[in-house]
Amino acid sequence: MPNTHETPLPNTRETGPELSSVWLRVFLEVARHGSFTVAARTLGWTQSAVSRQVASLEAALDGGPLFDRLPRGVALTEAGRLLVPYAETVTGALRDARRDLGALREAAGGRLRFGAFATADAALVPHALALFRARHPRVRVVREEGFTPALLDRLTAGHLDLAVVSTTGRAPLESYELHHLLDEPLYVAVPAGHPLAGHEGPVPLGRFADADWISGSPRPEGTLLDAALRQGFSPRVAHVVGEWTAKQGYVAAGLGVTLVPALAAASVRPDITLLRVLDDGAPARAVYAATLRGRSLTPAASAFLDAVREATATIPA
Amino acid sequence: MPNTHETPLPNTRETGPELSSVWLRVFLEVARHGSFTVAARTLGWTQSAVSRQVASLEAALDGGPLFDRLPRGVALTEAGRLLVPYAETVTGALRDARRDLGALREAAGGRLRFGAFATADAALVPHALALFRARHPRVRVVREEGFTPALLDRLTAGHLDLAVVSTTGRAPLESYELHHLLDEPLYVAVPAGHPLAGHEGPVPLGRFADADWISGSPRPEGTLLDAALRQGFSPRVAHVVGEWTAKQGYVAAGLGVTLVPALAAASVRPDITLLRVLDDGAPARAVYAATLRGRSLTPAASAFLDAVREATATIPA
DNA sequence: GAGTCTCATGCGTATTCGGCATGGCAGCCA
DNA sequence: TGGCTGCCATGCCGAATACGCATGAGACTC
């Protein structure tokens, strides 16, 4: 019952008393059988209940009787005949809504939109996606590639449900829900003939303070080379190369060394040697599955997150 | 709550808890405004009521939360987004049903299907129809012509809402609701030169016991000539003529006389004289608007019945 | 850190909604 | 023709529901 303290706004158009979907289902059942008693039996109720349901519906619609009460059962009036298709529309829509929501809940429908940065796509994401598709084949999957900032923007704009991102030093990762996946050890990629190529065990990054570096950016800040800054030296970037494949070519040619995150370790060419960087302190790079803070995950996104976590276990730490 | 005495039939498929249309309207309002509080104000309720409505809907649908509760308002979840079009379908169907029922109730829509026998179509029905169309221009009218028995069959079969019929003596008018319209006096049609043509006042039917009769049927039973039987003589049917216009030709030619019901009195040719039959006893012929017994009239049919009654008043008794 | 804005929830009351039992009406059959 | 039967309507009562009110909890803002 509306309170009387608030003045209804003009757009509160009068729509009459509210209806219950029960009434309409009962109405259709009565219309189908032409009898309150039979409809009651079918619905598992008593005749009196059905009688009241119909009476309530008739009163709520205020369109006169929906049935003529005959000595043997009832028959639809013109008003009743008019109502039938609408009632079917309503009950049908409710049934379909339930069906779709059920599919969504079981991740047997709906969609999953996620993005990932490039090296995550090398092994982590494919593994996770394979797991997910096997478990939830009915979910439509939309995948995007991009760098962490762009992916987060897509997330904020509501175009993604989940993004696999990495922290490269300081990152504006506030207002996101971060599901930690793994901390990537760093490797230094050196040509096969490099003096340290045969070195056993982790190598302190300081050993490369004087090396020529291949990097995707002329400045180390915000990239993997942040780690060098934390080690107290400013790396000399000899060549700015963006593409991972191209970078490998530069390294193999002896033009410099570069940092490789663990996720990309499995995809280096054979004439390059990876040296594990000694991890003394905060991990160089953390990988997260990011979602919007405060927003609930779709069942599909939740299942994909599980799959990513499982896939993480298969990645060598 | 279903009782436990009756075993649900197999076709009682599980559809989950029932929904209230209120919940869906509230849901849409909340979705539109992104806020329980604002939606509550719009709907003229309190915030707590809206909160409960949404909670009830979420529980009934069992598809997880429909909204993410944010520090400032709420936002649809995927499940909520999925529900929106269905909720709009439901509320739209209910709104349309109300609109159509309202139009039906006001006889501002819907249809009227009626039939009438031929002489009623001479003046009574056209007058009534003119009145009705002026008052209810939006009602689609379907008209039929036919003899009383055929019209009643059409009524029984559900093809007509109302039939203007006449009793010609004994008629199988049971199981119909008869709305008496008028009792037609009878006239005897004689050629202008007939000895009684100048007679003043009603004439006893017995005066025509020896006359040649023009009738639509060789036997008087069940026709207007029933009246002759009631007067104690068996009329000699000299010519069997069905069409009213043709009948007039036979009478004008002096081949016989015929009975004319009052409704046709206005449409006789000028070289025929009508003599009022002395009405001593039961009226010769009653005209009714018949509807199905026990069935409620549509508002349009009811309005048409009123119009016929009014039109009746304009017919000379 | 106080203030503010949001939604959630405990409580009390009024309404609604079942089932049950009964009544009324009309057709059927002996 | 009168009892019987089948069907819908309704008074009654207990239980569930739904509202408003008041208050609590959480998070952002200044």
Side-chain angles (χ1 to χ4, degrees):
Chain A
M1 184 182 311
N3 66 19
T4 54
H5 304 298
E6 302 290 347
T7 304
L9 298 187
N11 64 352
T12 304
R13 64 247 179 257
E14 190 51 54
T15 55
E18 296 290 345
L19 307 183
S20 161
S21 75
V22 202
W23 298 349
L24 292 179
R25 297 216 320 126
V26 170
F27 165 76
L28 287 177
E29 205 66 25
V30 171
R32 181 150 39 234
H33 292 102
S35 158
F36 285 19
T37 305
V38 174
R41 205 151 29 221
T42 302
L43 294 164
W45 286 347
T46 60
Q47 172 269 326
S48 71
V50 171
S51 175
R52 272 181 235 271
Q53 299 273 8
V54 174
S56 298
L57 181 62
E58 289 173 331
L61 287 172
D62 192 25
L66 297 169
F67 295 98
D68 283 319
R69 275 66 168 180
L70 304 177
R72 276 298 192 274
V74 297
L76 284 170
T77 63
E78 189 72 13
R81 275 187 290 274
L82 184 118
L83 184 61
V84 166
Y86 290 112
E88 285 172 343
T89 297
V90 169
T91 56
L94 293 177
R95 177 173 32 74
D96 293 349
R98 271 184 210 284
R99 174 173 44 71
D100 287 4
L101 281 172
L104 189 68
R105 182 179 56 236
E106 310 295 338
R111 65 182 176 182
L112 166 71
R113 304 166 305 171
F114 76 93
F117 60 93
T119 50
D121 264 328
L124 181 61
V125 166
H127 286 176
L129 193 51
L131 281 173
F132 179 82
R133 302 223 66 154
R135 292 173 187 165
H136 305 289
R138 314 275 292 272
V139 175
R140 298 192 315 277
V141 174
V142 179
R143 198 182 66 84
E144 293 188 7
E145 301 179 12
F147 296 109
T148 291
L151 292 175
L152 294 176
D153 287 346
R154 297 283 293 165
L155 202 55
T156 302
H159 296 131
L160 292 180
D161 302 312
L162 181 147
V164 178
V165 299
S166 64
T167 58
T168 46
R170 50 202 153 284
L173 292 183
E174 297 314 311
S175 85
Y176 299 101
E177 198 75 47
L178 297 181
H179 311 267
H180 181 262
L181 294 178
L182 56 91
D183 294 313
E184 285 190 287
L186 285 185
Y187 294 84
V188 178
V190 299
H194 191 275
L196 289 173
H199 186 85
E200 292 290 330
V203 180
L205 200 54
R207 298 284 289 273
F208 297 94
D210 292 331
D212 283 338
W213 286 89
I214 317 292
S215 174
S217 161
R219 309 282 307 151
E221 291 83 3
T223 73
L224 291 180
L225 277 175
D226 251 355
L229 297 179
R230 288 199 295 278
Q231 291 297 321
F233 72 94
S234 182
R236 180 174 70 253
V237 177
H239 300 276
V240 174
V241 177
E243 267 297 318
W244 169 230
T245 304
K247 258 188 205 166
Q248 291 186 72
Y250 277 68
V251 171
L255 293 174
V257 300
T258 192
L259 282 176
V260 175
L263 286 176
S267 56
V268 296
R269 43 195 283 184
D271 55 353
I272 283 183
T273 298
L274 294 183
L275 302 174
R276 174 78 175 265
V277 172
L278 184 62
D279 184 5
D280 57 346
R285 172 153 128 157
V287 176
Y288 300 97
T291 55
L292 282 180
R293 172 177 298 279
R295 302 303 182 90
S296 61
L297 270 61
T298 67
S302 186
F304 184 70
L305 181 53
D306 291 343
V308 174
R309 286 197 168 116
E310 293 181 44
T312 300
T314 72
I315 302 292
Chain B
M1 183 182 314
N3 65 21
T4 54
H5 304 300
E6 300 291 346
T7 303
L9 298 187
N11 64 351
T12 305
R13 64 246 178 256
E14 190 52 53
T15 55
E18 296 292 345
L19 306 183
S20 162
S21 76
V22 200
W23 296 349
L24 292 178
R25 298 217 317 127
V26 170
F27 165 76
L28 286 177
E29 206 66 25
V30 171
R32 181 148 41 233
H33 292 101
S35 158
F36 285 18
T37 305
V38 174
R41 204 152 33 225
T42 303
L43 294 165
W45 287 345
T46 60
Q47 172 269 326
S48 71
V50 170
S51 175
R52 273 182 236 271
Q53 301 271 9
V54 173
S56 298
L57 182 62
E58 289 172 330
L61 288 172
D62 190 27
L66 296 170
F67 295 99
D68 282 320
R69 275 65 168 181
L70 303 177
R72 275 301 192 271
V74 297
L76 284 170
T77 63
E78 189 72 13
R81 276 187 290 274
L82 184 116
L83 183 61
V84 166
Y86 291 112
E88 285 173 342
T89 297
V90 168
T91 56
L94 293 177
R95 177 173 31 74
D96 292 350
R98 272 184 208 284
R99 173 173 45 70
D100 286 5
L101 280 172
L104 189 68
R105 182 178 57 237
E106 310 295 338
R111 64 184 176 180
L112 167 70
R113 304 166 305 169
F114 77 93
F117 61 92
T119 50
D121 264 327
L124 181 62
V125 165
H127 286 175
L129 192 51
L131 280 173
F132 178 83
R133 301 224 66 152
R135 292 172 186 166
H136 306 289
R138 313 275 291 273
V139 175
R140 299 192 314 279
V141 175
V142 179
R143 198 183 65 85
E144 293 189 6
E145 301 180 13
F147 297 109
T148 291
L151 292 175
L152 293 177
D153 287 345
R154 298 283 293 164
L155 202 56
T156 302
H159 294 130
L160 291 180
D161 301 314
L162 182 147
V164 178
V165 299
S166 64
T167 58
T168 47
R170 50 200 153 283
L173 291 186
E174 297 316 311
S175 84
Y176 299 102
E177 197 76 46
L178 297 181
H179 311 266
H180 182 261
L181 294 177
L182 55 89
D183 295 311
E184 285 188 288
L186 285 184
Y187 294 84
V188 178
V190 300
H194 192 276
L196 289 173
H199 186 84
E200 291 290 330
V203 180
L205 200 54
R207 297 283 290 273
F208 298 94
D210 293 329
D212 284 336
W213 286 90
I214 318 290
S215 175
S217 161
R219 311 281 309 153
E221 290 84 359
T223 74
L224 291 179
L225 278 174
D226 251 353
L229 296 179
R230 288 198 296 276
Q231 293 296 320
F233 72 92
S234 181
R236 182 174 67 253
V237 176
H239 301 276
V240 174
V241 178
E243 267 298 316
W244 169 230
T245 305
K247 258 187 205 166
Q248 291 185 73
Y250 277 70
V251 172
L255 295 174
V257 299
T258 193
L259 283 176
V260 176
L263 287 175
S267 56
V268 298
R269 41 196 284 183
D271 55 355
I272 282 183
T273 299
L274 293 183
L275 302 173
R276 174 78 175 266
V277 173
L278 183 62
D279 184 6
D280 55 347
R285 172 152 130 156
V287 176
Y288 299 97
T291 55
L292 282 180
R293 170 176 300 277
R295 304 300 184 89
S296 62
L297 271 61
T298 67
S302 187
F304 184 70
L305 180 53
D306 291 343
V308 174
R309 285 195 168 116
E310 292 182 44
T312 301
T314 71
I315 302 294

PDB file of all heavy atoms in Angstrom, chain A residues 52-64:
ATOM      1  N   ARG A  52     -11.621 -18.297  -5.767  1.00  0.00           N
ATOM      2  CA  ARG A  52     -11.164 -16.998  -5.282  1.00  0.00           C
ATOM      3  C   ARG A  52     -10.119 -16.375  -6.193  1.00  0.00           C
ATOM      4  O   ARG A  52     -10.108 -15.167  -6.415  1.00  0.00           O
ATOM      5  CB  ARG A  52     -10.588 -17.141  -3.884  1.00  0.00           C
ATOM      6  CG  ARG A  52     -11.607 -16.998  -2.796  1.00  0.00           C
ATOM      7  CD  ARG A  52     -10.920 -17.122  -1.461  1.00  0.00           C
ATOM      8  NE  ARG A  52     -11.548 -18.158  -0.666  1.00  0.00           N
ATOM      9  CZ  ARG A  52     -12.574 -17.918   0.142  1.00  0.00           C
ATOM     10  NH1 ARG A  52     -13.058 -16.722   0.245  1.00  0.00           N
ATOM     11  NH2 ARG A  52     -13.104 -18.890   0.831  1.00  0.00           N
ATOM     12  N   GLN A  53      -9.230 -17.204  -6.710  1.00  0.00           N
ATOM     13  CA  GLN A  53      -8.213 -16.676  -7.614  1.00  0.00           C
ATOM     14  C   GLN A  53      -8.878 -15.966  -8.795  1.00  0.00           C
ATOM     15  O   GLN A  53      -8.533 -14.838  -9.149  1.00  0.00           O
ATOM     16  CB  GLN A  53      -7.359 -17.824  -8.167  1.00  0.00           C
ATOM     17  CG  GLN A  53      -6.606 -18.606  -7.125  1.00  0.00           C
ATOM     18  CD  GLN A  53      -5.265 -17.991  -6.824  1.00  0.00           C
ATOM     19  OE1 GLN A  53      -4.967 -16.898  -7.304  1.00  0.00           O
ATOM     20  NE2 GLN A  53      -4.472 -18.679  -6.033  1.00  0.00           N
ATOM     21  N   VAL A  54      -9.841 -16.665  -9.380  1.00  0.00           N
ATOM     22  CA  VAL A  54     -10.507 -16.083 -10.543  1.00  0.00           C
ATOM     23  C   VAL A  54     -11.265 -14.831 -10.138  1.00  0.00           C
ATOM     24  O   VAL A  54     -11.232 -13.820 -10.843  1.00  0.00           O
ATOM     25  CB  VAL A  54     -11.441 -17.120 -11.192  1.00  0.00           C
ATOM     26  CG1 VAL A  54     -12.255 -16.479 -12.302  1.00  0.00           C
ATOM     27  CG2 VAL A  54     -10.640 -18.284 -11.727  1.00  0.00           C
ATOM     28  N   ALA A  55     -11.914 -14.904  -8.983  1.00  0.00           N
ATOM     29  CA  ALA A  55     -12.657 -13.721  -8.530  1.00  0.00           C
ATOM     30  C   ALA A  55     -11.701 -12.553  -8.325  1.00  0.00           C
ATOM     31  O   ALA A  55     -12.008 -11.416  -8.697  1.00  0.00           O
ATOM     32  CB  ALA A  55     -13.403 -14.049  -7.232  1.00  0.00           C
ATOM     33  N   SER A  56     -10.541 -12.824  -7.752  1.00  0.00           N
ATOM     34  CA  SER A  56      -9.557 -11.759  -7.546  1.00  0.00           C
ATOM     35  C   SER A  56      -9.116 -11.180  -8.876  1.00  0.00           C
ATOM     36  O   SER A  56      -9.007  -9.962  -9.039  1.00  0.00           O
ATOM     37  CB  SER A  56      -8.341 -12.306  -6.796  1.00  0.00           C
ATOM     38  OG  SER A  56      -8.709 -12.782  -5.517  1.00  0.00           O
ATOM     39  N   LEU A  57      -8.863 -12.060  -9.817  1.00  0.00           N
ATOM     40  CA  LEU A  57      -8.416 -11.589 -11.122  1.00  0.00           C
ATOM     41  C   LEU A  57      -9.489 -10.731 -11.778  1.00  0.00           C
ATOM     42  O   LEU A  57      -9.207  -9.660 -12.322  1.00  0.00           O
ATOM     43  CB  LEU A  57      -8.072 -12.792 -12.007  1.00  0.00           C
ATOM     44  CG  LEU A  57      -7.555 -12.471 -13.408  1.00  0.00           C
ATOM     45  CD1 LEU A  57      -6.254 -11.696 -13.333  1.00  0.00           C
ATOM     46  CD2 LEU A  57      -7.369 -13.733 -14.220  1.00  0.00           C
ATOM     47  N   GLU A  58     -10.712 -11.189 -11.702  1.00  0.00           N
ATOM     48  CA  GLU A  58     -11.802 -10.425 -12.307  1.00  0.00           C
ATOM     49  C   GLU A  58     -11.920  -9.050 -11.650  1.00  0.00           C
ATOM     50  O   GLU A  58     -12.128  -8.037 -12.327  1.00  0.00           O
ATOM     51  CB  GLU A  58     -13.118 -11.199 -12.171  1.00  0.00           C
ATOM     52  CG  GLU A  58     -13.181 -12.421 -13.073  1.00  0.00           C
ATOM     53  CD  GLU A  58     -14.406 -13.276 -12.809  1.00  0.00           C
ATOM     54  OE1 GLU A  58     -14.901 -13.286 -11.668  1.00  0.00           O
ATOM     55  OE2 GLU A  58     -14.857 -13.945 -13.734  1.00  0.00           O
ATOM     56  N   ALA A  59     -11.760  -9.041 -10.329  1.00  0.00           N
ATOM     57  CA  ALA A  59     -11.866  -7.765  -9.632  1.00  0.00           C
ATOM     58  C   ALA A  59     -10.708  -6.850 -10.002  1.00  0.00           C
ATOM     59  O   ALA A  59     -10.873  -5.654 -10.188  1.00  0.00           O
ATOM     60  CB  ALA A  59     -11.896  -8.010  -8.119  1.00  0.00           C
ATOM     61  N   ALA A  60      -9.518  -7.427 -10.107  1.00  0.00           N
ATOM     62  CA  ALA A  60      -8.333  -6.611 -10.383  1.00  0.00           C
ATOM     63  C   ALA A  60      -8.388  -6.022 -11.786  1.00  0.00           C
ATOM     64  O   ALA A  60      -7.969  -4.890 -12.006  1.00  0.00           O
ATOM     65  CB  ALA A  60      -7.068  -7.454 -10.214  1.00  0.00           C
ATOM     66  N   LEU A  61      -8.890  -6.789 -12.716  1.00  0.00           N
ATOM     67  CA  LEU A  61      -8.932  -6.305 -14.094  1.00  0.00           C
ATOM     68  C   LEU A  61     -10.110  -5.375 -14.314  1.00  0.00           C
ATOM     69  O   LEU A  61     -10.088  -4.556 -15.229  1.00  0.00           O
ATOM     70  CB  LEU A  61      -9.022  -7.484 -15.064  1.00  0.00           C
ATOM     71  CG  LEU A  61      -7.728  -8.277 -15.203  1.00  0.00           C
ATOM     72  CD1 LEU A  61      -7.958  -9.530 -16.028  1.00  0.00           C
ATOM     73  CD2 LEU A  61      -6.670  -7.416 -15.845  1.00  0.00           C
ATOM     74  N   ASP A  62     -11.140  -5.535 -13.509  1.00  0.00           N
ATOM     75  CA  ASP A  62     -12.292  -4.646 -13.598  1.00  0.00           C
ATOM     76  C   ASP A  62     -12.856  -4.634 -15.012  1.00  0.00           C
ATOM     77  O   ASP A  62     -13.217  -3.602 -15.535  1.00  0.00           O
ATOM     78  CB  ASP A  62     -11.879  -3.223 -13.178  1.00  0.00           C
ATOM     79  CG  ASP A  62     -13.101  -2.348 -12.983  1.00  0.00           C
ATOM     80  OD1 ASP A  62     -14.165  -2.901 -12.702  1.00  0.00           O
ATOM     81  OD2 ASP A  62     -12.964  -1.127 -13.133  1.00  0.00           O
ATOM     82  N   GLY A  63     -12.899  -5.781 -15.619  1.00  0.00           N
ATOM     83  CA  GLY A  63     -13.458  -5.847 -16.964  1.00  0.00           C
ATOM     84  C   GLY A  63     -14.634  -6.789 -17.022  1.00  0.00           C
ATOM     85  O   GLY A  63     -14.920  -7.372 -18.059  1.00  0.00           O
ATOM     86  N   GLY A  64     -15.310  -6.915 -15.877  1.00  0.00           N
ATOM     87  CA  GLY A  64     -16.435  -7.834 -15.842  1.00  0.00           C
ATOM     88  C   GLY A  64     -15.969  -9.267 -15.680  1.00  0.00           C
ATOM     89  O   GLY A  64     -14.775  -9.531 -15.604  1.00  0.00           O
TER      90      GLY A  64
END
